[in-house]
Amino acid sequence: MSIKYTKDHEWVTVEDDIATVGVSVYAQEQLGDVVFVEVPEVGRTLDKGDELAVVESVKAASEVYAPIGGEVLEVNNDLEDNPSQVNEDAQGSGWFAKVKISDASELDDLMDEAAYKEYTEGLA
Amino acid sequence: MNESSQTKRTALYDLHLELGGKIVPFAGYDMPVQYPDGIMKEHLHTRENAGLFDVSHMGQVVISGANPATSIEKLVPGDIQSLKAGEMRYSFLTNEAGGILDDLIITQRGNDLFVVVNAGCKDQDIALFKEKLAGEAEVIVLDDRALVAIQGPKAASVLARYNPDVATMPFMTYRELEIAGVPCFVTRSGYTGEDGYEISIPNDQAVSLCKQLLAGSEVAPIGLGARDSLRLEAGLCLYGYDLNENTTPVSAGLLWAISKRRREEGGFPGEKVILEEIANKPKMKRVGILPEGRAPAREHTEIADMDGNIVGEVTSGGFAPTLQAPVAMGYVPLELSKPDTPLQLMVRGKARAAKVVKMPFVEQRYYRG
């Protein structure tokens, strides 16, 4: 399945019932140089909209929200030593967590690539 | 908010836009927080080359009168009378409780004092000067001048291209010089821990002079974001964060700015509290804090002792680009203020290990002549 986005600039891709979550290229541009990412604990169950992670830039801390609810199965521990992956490859190696989806219908109100592109262009 | 809810712009506003500055409201002004390079690169560029900062939002004030140095000593505990013409000093306005109303730089120019105050405090400071110095000194606000800082190891060689006389000015001195033909007030000072200058320029010539300075390949424009991370690494206080009406100069570790004569003579607001704290030590002390790991601890992060008791608060904290590690400063009880004292920082509910360290975090490199 293809990538989907939230209005808060999280992205999610789905394989079977597992969602991989991160922040968008647009988001990392707004954040600036990422110096630390606090990822969630494996095993935690999140509702859609719960705080999933915190991204710290030189200047400020920003919250990242769960684009979909479910149990955290795996987190990207590489971000601990290399938080700049969020800047360099936000929608690839800069992923935050993999979540076991509890309710796939929560994906329905997320934006697809084209809708998100239009949305971010409107924010400029 | 009253009639000033409209944000103001400095003379360099259009230049910031032209340079791609990301504009944010700060102390009533629309100011660039960063340029396209971003805070990290801007910070490192200043440490390695030279950075140009617009600090025109700060207040520039001239105080003249029969003896303005004596007059202003009624408001600050610093030794202003001993300044010779062309010398300047860091000081602070205090209140009757010994708290700090603002920190400022006072320059003795021979015939008058040139005073630079914080943007967020300037209206209140100017009102205080006018009220307390009425009848003995005149207070003139220099709204017609921009203020820029050029900071970094290459600042001196860049500026010397436009006037070689700047090269030999020692740290914390003042001269009136032409820079590329523009009449400027030049001080060898700054807020980054690096060698550098602050330059007061007539508004209508500020853009053209800044463009000339930026033409040097060593010089990049630097926003308020890197200004903050640079001053934090240098261990310098930010008013409203590390200093406020409830922090005394003694607890803030600014005793060096209160001379022996002023301690003996007193005669400044809050002298009773401040002199008592000098004699008996303050309860709390501002310290440098080095968190373990990479998580920054921002302002208002609670500080706990090793038993988990909340004992203080971070007042400035962030990521230090030069060190590639988080750093912070904050207030802790005097008995926990010695270097290497272990502490815990409560970051988002999690206790993270940290320790007290000496400041500055990054060595200051001022030019002493």
Side-chain angles (χ1 to χ4, degrees):
Chain A
M1 171 196 139
S2 56
I3 193 161
K4 288 211 164 188
Y5 297 89
T6 69
K7 286 188 172 173
D8 295 322
H9 310 286
E10 293 93 9
W11 58 260
V12 52
T13 56
V14 178
E15 204 170 317
D16 300 325
D17 59 347
I18 295 169
T20 304
V21 175
V23 296
S24 70
V25 171
Y26 176 90
Q28 68 79 22
E29 281 168 3
Q30 299 301 309
L31 290 165
D33 301 294
V34 173
V35 299
F36 179 76
V37 180
E38 186 162 308
V39 292
E41 280 162 43
V42 172
R44 233 182 96 196
T45 299
L46 299 166
D47 287 333
K48 179 176 178 163
D50 281 357
E51 187 180 299
L52 172 99
V54 175
V55 182
E56 302 256 11
S57 67
V58 178
K59 181 93 188 127
S62 309
E63 279 124 28
V64 175
Y65 302 102
I68 184 159
E71 186 192 341
V72 178
L73 298 177
E74 192 184 342
V75 294
N76 186 354
N77 287 316
D78 289 349
L79 295 180
E80 196 168 317
D81 293 325
N82 289 306
S84 62
Q85 285 180 98
V86 178
N87 295 115
E88 288 152 14
D89 192 11
Q91 292 174 203
S93 66
W95 65 278
F96 287 8
K98 292 187 195 292
V99 174
K100 186 171 169 50
I101 296 171
S102 15
D103 178 3
S105 72
E106 287 179 351
L107 291 165
D108 295 347
D109 49 357
L110 301 183
M111 288 174 273
D112 63 17
E113 185 89 59
Y116 181 67
K117 186 164 180 281
E118 197 178 328
Y119 171 68
T120 53
E121 281 167 1
L123 297 175
Chain B
M1 289 286 145
N2 45 26
E3 80 282 359
S4 61
S5 59
Q6 184 85 22
T7 50
K8 290 176 270 191
R9 293 172 176 182
T10 74
L12 296 167
Y13 178 80
D14 289 343
L15 181 60
H16 299 318
L17 294 185
E18 199 180 312
L19 295 166
K22 182 174 168 189
I23 305 294
V24 299
F26 180 82
Y29 283 79
D30 281 329
M31 297 297 288
V33 65
Q34 63 169 81
Y35 297 90
D37 275 348
I39 296 172
M40 185 86 83
K41 280 196 185 131
E42 290 171 27
H43 180 115
L44 297 172
H45 185 93
T46 306
R47 288 264 181 260
E48 288 158 17
N49 294 286
L52 187 70
F53 305 72
D54 180 12
V55 291
S56 306
H57 55 313
M58 298 183 79
Q60 302 180 67
V61 181
V62 168
I63 299 178
S64 61
N67 198 339
T70 312
S71 298
I72 205 168
E73 282 194 359
K74 294 195 294 185
L75 305 179
V76 302
D79 189 346
I80 310 306
Q81 292 188 51
S82 72
L83 289 175
K84 298 185 193 79
E87 291 179 347
M88 55 199 284
R89 189 155 280 163
Y90 172 80
S91 194
F92 23 82
L93 296 162
T94 47
N95 63 22
E96 289 302 329
I100 300 175
L101 294 170
D102 194 10
D103 60 347
L104 73 181
I105 300 270
I106 302 171
T107 301
Q108 172 59 262
R109 301 204 296 183
N111 293 322
D112 56 27
L113 302 177
F114 174 56
V115 180
V116 176
V117 301
N118 280 305
C121 301
K122 69 180 174 184
D123 292 345
Q124 164 206 306
D125 293 351
I126 290 160
L128 185 77
F129 292 144
K130 286 185 172 165
E131 183 202 332
K132 300 290 184 186
L133 306 181
E136 54 184 292
E138 197 186 349
V139 179
I140 305 147
V141 182
L142 305 183
D143 284 329
D144 56 345
R145 302 187 77 92
L147 189 66
V148 302
I150 182 165
Q151 301 278 300
K154 295 183 182 168
S157 60
V158 169
L159 203 59
R161 280 180 212 145
Y162 301 94
N163 189 329
D165 290 350
V166 301
T168 52
M169 290 174 66
F171 181 58
M172 295 303 271
T173 63
Y174 168 98
R175 286 185 72 174
E176 284 167 32
L177 293 171
E178 286 198 352
I179 305 293
V182 179
C184 295
F185 308 155
V186 181
T187 63
R188 195 150 200 170
S189 66
Y191 194 45
T192 60
E194 296 295 328
D195 183 23
Y197 304 83
E198 290 191 356
I199 310 167
S200 171
I201 314 165
N203 272 336
D204 56 358
Q205 295 176 86
V207 171
S208 67
L209 181 50
C210 285
K211 281 186 171 171
Q212 289 189 67
L213 294 173
L214 287 167
S217 59
E218 309 94 327
V219 187
I222 312 294
L224 291 180
R227 182 170 159 82
D228 188 46
S229 52
L230 287 158
R231 70 90 198 167
L232 177 57
E233 285 186 347
L236 301 171
C237 293
L238 174 59
Y239 191 80
Y241 289 76
D242 312 300
L243 309 175
N244 61 45
E245 290 182 21
N246 300 314
T247 56
T248 65
V250 192
S251 60
L254 301 174
L255 264 187
W256 55 270
I258 308 179
S259 72
K260 187 160 170 274
R261 177 180 68 80
R262 295 306 315 268
R263 294 182 202 191
E264 285 166 5
E265 293 177 7
F268 50 85
E271 76 170 89
K272 199 165 160 264
V273 177
I274 292 168
L275 296 177
E276 194 275 330
E277 276 197 356
I278 292 174
N280 297 320
K281 302 270 166 81
K283 286 192 182 66
M284 302 290 282
K285 190 90 201 292
R286 180 175 63 94
V287 294
I289 299 167
L290 197 63
E292 251 177 49
R294 283 184 67 97
R298 310 280 173 184
E299 63 267 17
H300 303 310
T301 297
E302 287 178 325
I303 303 170
D305 64 16
M306 295 316 280
D307 296 327
N309 306 303
I310 303 301
V311 292
E313 193 179 86
V314 170
T315 51
S316 281
F319 192 80
T322 309
L323 305 174
Q324 288 294 305
V327 295
M329 57 171 98
Y331 284 80
V332 296
L334 189 65
E335 59 273 20
L336 295 177
S337 65
K338 281 207 180 66
D340 293 327
T341 304
L343 297 170
Q344 303 185 82
L345 300 171
M346 306 305 292
V347 179
R348 292 182 285 275
K350 254 183 244 167
R352 290 184 177 269
K355 65 175 179 182
V356 176
V357 292
K358 272 200 170 156
M359 287 191 286
F361 298 102
V362 173
E363 200 185 341
Q364 297 167 342
R365 298 194 283 186
Y366 304 133
Y367 179 79
R368 308 271 179 187

